[in-house]
């Protein structure tokens, strides 16, 4: 064994109790006296932390003056020891300097790219400003007229505004705030009397879940399901795909009811609005669309909302089913009136620029949770649009958030897994390690929690101090190694899973098997 500093066989070997490394005694003692830390690991180290190793020793002659040959050899030995320590310190400094240089070069390159992008945006803004200034004198009253609502729809002029032009939002009125507050009071009172439904699937049932069917809903040339929602009252599933379409699927019959086309890029989020015939979709094309069933399951787009300037990642519907929120990578979230499609409030955090990647309303409706690409989870007061809490701790983009039915817990998913937060004490009380968690979802009763990552995991919910037990791990059968979304069916009788292939998969008890769709009969273009 060799000394970790000199690389030679030590004459008086000692070992560090902290790092377990072997050193020459005189070298490590001198380094400790000079620096007070381990020369290899950098941990604090004292003389008491090194333990001598007993070996056969050769008795050395007593030291003599440097005028003698033995004295000169001792002097040379001391010089050599000093040289070894100095060389080791220089190597450490060189390594640090190389890392700092690499980091500085990366920052310089990033700064150059940012400056180039800002210059391009500045030139585009100047051009748009010049065009606006040319049109303002021609019709100063037309702008006010175009902002008005007609027959519950946006005026045509509102859709023709320049993409970077800032639209005026009327704000959330006192009447709406009263409506939200009354809804909160009613739901809070109702929740105190809630009972777990007798038809809820048992833990034993979940343990026996297996794949019942696989339905190829989206195109083969652009596979991938990005989002999903279930209308429990009708057992209908909506999926949003990479192929820029949303599909309405009837689970009991195994048939596609409608395919919603209109977005130009992937559909990042899809939501049913209560038990109504309305569906919301958000897309990477920067728009949100409101779809209505016009009869015979033919959905038509009633409104196309262009209030965001970057990819819209999430939509979430308020408990009144009259309002909804969209969250975007343009660092804003918007509060909409559902009937008119009017943006009542466009909210950003002036204290911190973050890109919103997920959003969900609290069950009582007065709190909004948002996830960001900067690993931060933010909690908002809907009435004042103020950021009232912030949760740090995740690594990577927050991909999904879900509130428990009792309103006490918030589950968030990110690249490092899933974290559970106690909203009463504003702290993280449990974490599930699962690399690249893409979706997390409480079932409507609050009894189970589903996590979609490289596989699908079902947990039994519990309290802050009790253990949240893993019930079942379902494999991702898509072959892509990435389950993107998970939802519980009515009474948790089945679990619907979307992945980065084009198939919607249903997991449940074998006795409840539904018709299996034929892969060859699906759309291929």
């Amino acid at each position: 064994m060799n000394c970790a500093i000199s690389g030679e066989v030590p004459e008086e070997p000692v070992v560090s109790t902290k790092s377990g490394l072997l050193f020459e005694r005189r070298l490590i003692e001198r380094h400790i006296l000079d620096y007070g830390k381990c020369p290899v690991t950098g941990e604090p180290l004292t003389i008491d932390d090194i333990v001598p190793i007993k070996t056969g020793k050769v008795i050395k002659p007593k030291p003599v003056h440097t005028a003698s040959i033995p004295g000169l050899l001792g002097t040379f030995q001391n010089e050599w020891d000093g040289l070894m320590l100095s060389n080791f310190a220089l190597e450490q400094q060189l390594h640090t300097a190389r890392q700092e240089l690499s980091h500085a070069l990366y920052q310089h390159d990033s700064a150059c790219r940012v400056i180039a992008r800002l210059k391009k945006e500045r030139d585009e803004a100047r051009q748009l400003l010049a065009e606006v200034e040319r049109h303002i004198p021609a019709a100063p009253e037309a702008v006010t007229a175009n902002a008005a609502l007609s027959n519950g729809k946006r005026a045509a002029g509102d859709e023709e505004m320049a993409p970077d032009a800032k639209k005026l939002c009327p704000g959330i009125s006192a009447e709406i705030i009263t409506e939200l507050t009354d809804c909160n009071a009613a739901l809070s009172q109702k929740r105190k009397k809630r009972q777990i439904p007798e038809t809820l699937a048992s833990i034993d049932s979940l343990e026996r879940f297996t794949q019942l069917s696989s339905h190829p809903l989206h195109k083969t040339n652009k596979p991938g399901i990005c989002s999903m929602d279930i209308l429990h009252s009708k057992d209908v599933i909506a999926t949003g795909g990479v192929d820029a379409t949303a599909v309405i699927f009837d689970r009991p019959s195994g048939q596609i009811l409608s395919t919603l086309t209109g977005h130009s890029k992937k559909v990042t989020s899809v939501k049913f609005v209560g038990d109504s015939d309305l569906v919301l979709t958000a897309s990477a094309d920067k728009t949100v669309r409101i779809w209505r069933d016009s009869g015979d399951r033919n959905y038509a787009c009633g409104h196309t909302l262009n209030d965001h300037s970057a990819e819209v990642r999430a939509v979430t519907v308020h408990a009144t089913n009259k309002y909804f929120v969209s969250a975007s990578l343009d660092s804003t979230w918007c509060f909409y009136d559902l009937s008119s499609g009017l943006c009542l409030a466009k909210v950003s955090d002036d204290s911190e620029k973050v890109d919103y990647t997920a959003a969900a309303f609290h069950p009582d409706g007065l709190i909004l949770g948002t996830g960001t690409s900067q690993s931060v989870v933010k909690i908002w007061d809907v009435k004042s649009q103020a950021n009232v809490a912030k949760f740090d701790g995740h690594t990577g983009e927050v991909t999904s958030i879900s509130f428990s039915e009792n309103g006490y817990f918030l589950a968030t998913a990110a690249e490092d897994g899933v974290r559970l937060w106690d909203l009463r004490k504003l702290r993280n009380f449990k974490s599930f390690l699962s690399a690249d968690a893409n979706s997390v979802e409480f079932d409507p009763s609050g009894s189970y929690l589903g996590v979609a990552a490289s596989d699908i995991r079902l947990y039994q919910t519990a309290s802050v101090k009790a253990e949240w037990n893993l019930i079942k791990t379902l494999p991702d059968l898509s072959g892509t190694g990435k389950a993107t979304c998970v939802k519980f069916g009515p009474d948790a009788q089945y679990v619907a899973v979307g992945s980065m292939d084009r198939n919607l998969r249903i997991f449940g008890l074998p006795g409840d098997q539904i018709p299996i769709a034929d892969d060859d009969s699906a759309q291929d273009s």
Side-chain angles (χ1 to χ4, degrees):
M1 294 186 293
N2 298 332
C3 173
I5 296 178
S6 66
E8 297 180 353
V9 177
E11 295 181 2
E12 292 184 75
V14 294
V15 66
S16 170
T17 58
K18 291 187 175 181
S19 64
L21 295 172
L22 186 72
F23 300 95
E24 177 68 62
R25 181 168 188 162
R26 62 177 181 279
L27 294 181
I28 189 61
E29 286 181 349
R30 179 179 296 182
H31 190 278
I32 290 174
L33 292 175
D34 291 342
Y35 301 103
K37 61 182 182 180
C38 177
V40 177
T41 64
E43 297 178 341
L45 195 66
T46 64
I47 299 296
D48 296 335
D49 294 328
I50 58 174
V51 177
I53 300 176
K54 294 182 178 181
T55 59
K57 295 184 179 179
V58 178
I59 300 176
K60 293 185 177 181
K62 294 182 179 180
V64 294
H65 298 291
T66 56
S68 64
I69 292 178
L72 289 173
L73 291 176
T75 301
F76 293 153
Q77 182 67 62
N78 292 335
E79 292 293 332
W80 173 258
D81 294 343
L83 179 61
M84 287 296 101
L85 291 172
S86 177
N87 183 64
F88 184 84
L90 288 175
E91 288 180 351
Q92 296 276 56
Q93 293 174 3
L94 176 61
H95 179 68
T96 302
R98 283 177 173 171
Q99 288 182 325
E100 292 176 349
L101 177 60
S102 176
H103 184 64
L105 291 174
Y106 174 79
Q107 287 184 326
H108 177 266
D109 184 62
S110 300
C112 290
R113 290 197 299 270
V114 171
I115 291 171
R117 178 175 57 83
L118 291 177
K119 285 183 176 180
K120 181 180 178 181
E121 293 177 354
R122 179 201 63 187
D123 296 338
E124 292 175 350
R126 286 177 176 174
Q127 183 179 359
L128 288 171
L129 180 60
E131 293 176 359
V132 171
E133 288 176 347
R134 286 198 302 269
H135 288 84
I136 284 178
E141 297 177 357
V143 176
T144 304
N146 288 339
L149 296 178
S150 176
N151 297 325
K153 295 184 178 181
R154 286 173 177 245
D158 186 54
E159 301 297 337
E160 297 173 359
M161 293 181 65
D164 291 340
K166 187 174 182 180
K167 300 177 183 179
L168 297 178
C169 299
I172 302 177
S173 65
E175 291 78 8
I176 295 176
I177 291 177
T178 301
E179 185 178 6
L180 300 182
T181 304
D182 292 343
C183 176
N184 170 267
L187 291 175
S188 299
Q189 187 66 27
K190 182 179 179 181
R191 185 166 290 107
K192 294 178 181 178
K193 302 177 181 180
R194 74 180 181 95
Q195 298 289 334
I196 300 296
E198 296 180 357
T199 54
L200 181 70
S202 64
I203 296 177
D204 179 65
S205 297
L206 266 67
E207 289 176 344
R208 294 186 287 125
F209 272 13
T210 185
Q211 178 173 313
L212 302 181
S213 59
S214 177
H215 306 275
L217 304 184
H218 293 271
K219 299 177 182 178
T220 55
N221 58 342
K222 291 184 178 180
I225 296 177
C226 302
S227 57
M228 179 170 51
D229 196 23
I230 299 180
L231 182 57
H232 289 138
S233 61
K234 300 178 181 179
D235 205 358
V236 173
I237 302 174
T239 61
V242 177
D243 60 0
T245 67
V247 175
I248 310 299
F249 174 76
D250 182 62
R251 189 197 72 89
S253 66
Q255 299 298 316
I256 294 177
L257 301 179
S258 183
T259 299
L260 314 183
T261 59
H263 286 294
S264 60
K265 295 183 179 179
K266 65 181 179 180
V267 177
T268 56
S269 183
V270 58
K271 288 290 181 183
F272 287 105
V273 181
D275 292 331
S276 68
D277 55 358
L278 294 177
V279 177
L280 303 177
T281 58
S283 171
D285 64 8
K286 308 176 186 178
T287 67
V288 176
R289 289 177 178 253
I290 303 176
W291 307 81
R292 183 183 296 274
D293 185 3
S294 57
D296 298 329
R297 299 296 183 181
N298 293 319
Y299 283 81
C301 179
H303 297 286
T304 300
L305 313 179
N306 300 287
D307 296 283
H308 289 291
S309 59
E311 177 178 333
V312 185
R313 281 293 190 86
V315 286
T316 178
V317 182
H318 188 267
T320 59
N321 293 323
K322 296 181 179 180
Y323 310 98
F324 73 94
V325 162
S326 63
S328 169
L329 296 182
D330 65 0
S331 303
T332 66
W333 58 266
C334 293
F335 185 92
Y336 288 96
D337 175 69
L338 191 57
S339 61
S340 65
L342 177 64
C343 179
L344 301 178
K346 189 173 184 179
V347 182
S348 61
D349 191 347
D350 297 332
S351 64
E352 182 181 17
K353 180 177 174 60
V354 292
D355 302 328
Y356 298 109
T357 55
F361 272 111
H362 186 273
D364 292 340
L366 290 184
I367 294 176
L368 175 72
T370 56
T372 69
S373 58
Q374 287 74 24
S375 311
V376 178
V377 178
K378 293 194 171 188
I379 307 298
W380 303 82
D381 178 10
V382 177
K383 294 189 294 183
S384 63
Q385 299 97 62
N387 180 212
V388 294
K390 183 171 72 171
F391 298 143
D392 298 305
H394 271 300
T395 300
E397 177 181 299
V398 178
T399 53
S400 175
I401 66 175
S402 178
F403 288 96
S404 64
E405 193 276 338
N406 61 15
Y408 296 156
F409 306 131
L410 171 65
T412 58
E415 292 179 5
D416 60 346
V418 172
R419 290 177 180 265
L420 299 176
W421 309 87
D422 184 353
L423 297 176
R424 294 163 295 184
K425 297 185 178 180
L426 300 179
R427 67 181 184 89
N428 170 228
F429 67 91
K430 188 171 294 293
S431 299
F432 301 129
L433 298 179
S434 180
D436 295 327
N438 299 304
S439 177
V440 61
E441 186 77 18
F442 284 99
D443 84 295
S445 72
S447 302
Y448 305 116
L449 177 72
V451 178
S454 58
D455 53 22
I456 302 92
R457 301 184 182 185
L458 307 180
Y459 293 88
Q460 179 187 12
T461 62
S463 62
V464 173
K465 296 182 179 180
E467 188 66 27
W468 293 50
N469 296 318
L470 176 63
I471 301 174
K472 180 73 172 180
T473 299
L474 303 171
D476 174 32
L477 301 176
S478 68
T480 63
K482 184 177 182 181
T484 55
C485 43
V486 58
K487 290 281 184 179
F488 288 92
D491 294 328
Q493 295 294 330
Y494 67 86
V495 172
V497 176
S499 301
M500 284 311 292
D501 65 349
R502 65 192 183 117
N503 294 307
L504 169 68
R505 290 178 170 81
I506 306 297
F507 293 84
L509 290 178
D512 298 330
Q513 186 166 351
I514 65 174
I516 299 177
D518 184 2
D519 286 6
D520 296 334
S521 65
Q523 49 187 326
D524 291 333
S525 60

